[in-house]
Amino acid sequence: MRTKDELFRAAQREIASRRQYAVMQAENARRAAFAAHPALAAADDAQMRAGLALAKTAALGGNMEAARAALVKADEALVAATKEAGYDEKAFQPAYACPLCHDTGMHNGNPCTCVAEIARRLRREEINAASPLGLCQFSTFDVNRYSADVEPELGISARAYMEKLLHYCENYAQKFSSKSTNLLFMGHTGLGKTHLALAIADAVLGGGHDVLYTSAAALAARLGREHFDFDSGDEWLNACQEADLLILDDLGTEYITPLTISVLYELINTRMLTERPTIYTTNITDQSVFVARYTEKVASRMLGGCKMFKFFGTDQRLR
């Protein structure tokens, strides 16, 4: 799980590799064409010598007009030789993947949009490796799998309730910003909590924001290792703190220690202070259990700073 800066550097390395490959392919094509067409190679050599002669003339103060005329003539001869050999003028130019920056990563003095696109793709690959992100989208969330019977606690059916929740999540993702509220999805196993959280992640990621996903168990285990590894630089914690949106899945499954509580409080508090929304999912439905497990200090930060949604129905995985 990489920080934004690490993702940006990885994207830049990929772009540099693309540029190197494009230049190499163009050079290979040029060499093959010159080997097959000696006249084309001779015209290219003549053009290069004319260019060098112009530079030398400028340096020594010679007849610039004659040197420029010689270069123009050499350019025309090369164009003619290229066409005669069956190639167009751009045949030996690198085929860059990005037409804006020509695979330099910079456009008009700013990072090119292709850098952000690659960074989002790399983040999506990270999330896919840790979760079924590719399967969890709003379009694949089927409310018809929920019961149409009235749920006593709701006064409406689980299906109608989940349909409203689906629309809320779609709107949340569409309008996502640093001002978006934190969300807490509570409910028993298999009711769609992770699916909706990842659907939001997928949409927010597509909107140009950095999204990070981790299960609570994986986060606690990794942070525990980093705490005792002084060379780690707390990369996971930094990544979790700075992501535009953090999905912290399956709270309640992690191994609880004083260190876990301390780090969790630091993470939640930092994200609240820096206005970076978090979506939590948990099988714990009793708030008193939350307090007993995470201490009142952490539970109040989490529960008090979230819009809570309880999920209803039967285990969709069994269906």
Side-chain angles (χ1 to χ4, degrees):
M1 189 159 55
R2 291 169 284 189
T3 63
K4 289 181 184 179
D5 286 343
E6 289 169 332
L7 277 181
F8 184 78
R9 288 194 293 270
Q12 287 181 314
R13 288 194 296 271
E14 183 171 320
I15 290 171
S17 178
R18 284 181 180 180
R19 182 177 176 81
Q20 183 179 21
Y21 178 78
V23 171
M24 182 183 68
Q25 289 293 95
E27 179 61 19
N28 289 341
R30 189 181 70 88
R31 289 180 179 178
F34 288 0
H37 304 280
L40 178 58
D44 182 75
D45 183 64
Q47 189 231 27
M48 181 181 67
R49 283 188 280 106
L52 291 173
L54 177 61
K56 184 177 180 180
T57 300
L60 298 177
N63 187 342
M64 290 294 293
E65 186 175 341
R68 287 196 188 96
L71 179 58
V72 170
K73 185 176 179 180
D75 287 342
E76 293 172 348
L78 179 57
V79 170
T82 301
K83 289 182 179 179
E84 187 174 343
Y87 302 98
D88 61 42
E89 295 180 25
K90 298 182 179 180
F92 311 125
Q93 294 181 8
Y96 298 117
C98 180
L100 293 178
C101 71
H102 290 176
D103 296 345
T104 63
M106 298 295 292
H107 179 60
N108 291 335
N110 297 306
C112 186
T113 54
C114 66
V115 179
E117 290 172 2
I118 293 174
R120 283 196 296 273
R121 195 203 75 228
L122 293 175
R123 181 67 85 197
R124 192 181 296 274
E125 289 173 357
E126 278 190 350
I127 298 175
N128 264 319
S131 71
L133 176 67
L135 302 176
C136 296
Q137 296 162 349
F138 291 128
S139 61
T140 58
F141 190 82
D142 186 6
V143 296
N144 292 318
R145 297 171 68 90
Y146 293 85
S147 173
D149 297 333
V150 173
E151 189 77 35
E153 187 175 339
L154 294 170
I156 58 174
S157 68
R159 181 180 301 174
Y161 173 78
M162 294 307 295
E163 186 171 13
K164 289 182 178 180
L165 180 53
L166 172 61
H167 293 325
Y168 175 88
C169 292
E170 288 174 327
N171 188 60
Y172 178 93
Q174 183 180 5
K175 297 180 178 179
F176 178 83
S177 72
S178 62
K179 303 298 182 182
S180 296
T181 185
N182 299 319
L183 303 180
L184 174 60
F185 293 163
M186 311 173 74
H188 298 300
T189 300
L191 298 184
K193 301 183 299 296
T194 298
H195 189 133
L196 277 185
L198 286 174
I200 292 173
D202 182 68
V204 170
L205 193 61
H209 300 279
D210 183 46
V211 180
L212 195 147
Y213 166 92
T214 182
S215 68
L219 179 64
R222 184 59 182 264
L223 292 178
R225 289 196 296 273
E226 287 191 355
H227 181 74
F228 296 104
D229 179 4
F230 296 105
D231 295 325
S232 70
D234 290 333
E235 293 175 358
W236 267 51
L237 182 58
N238 291 338
C240 289
Q241 287 177 338
E242 69 176 27
D244 296 333
L245 174 64
L246 173 65
I247 309 294
L248 187 51
D249 198 21
D250 269 344
L251 276 170
T253 60
E254 72 282 358
Y255 182 65
I256 288 291
T257 66
L259 173 62
T260 307
I261 297 298
S262 174
V263 171
L264 193 57
Y265 177 81
E266 180 184 352
L267 174 60
I268 294 170
N269 196 51
T270 298
R271 291 190 61 81
M272 288 181 68
L273 291 175
T274 55
E275 295 186 323
R276 292 188 169 103
T278 305
I279 298 177
Y280 308 91
T281 77
T282 181
N283 294 343
I284 302 173
T285 57
D286 189 333
Q287 294 188 29
S288 63
V289 175
F290 246 97
V291 174
R293 180 176 178 82
Y294 295 110
T295 73
E296 185 174 354
K297 185 178 180 180
V298 175
S300 64
R301 265 285 191 272
M302 191 182 303
L303 300 177
C306 286
K307 188 174 180 65
M308 292 182 283
F309 293 95
K310 186 175 180 181
F311 282 56
F312 293 85
T314 54
D315 192 336
Q316 299 300 303
R317 297 170 188 168
L318 298 179
R319 288 174 175 267

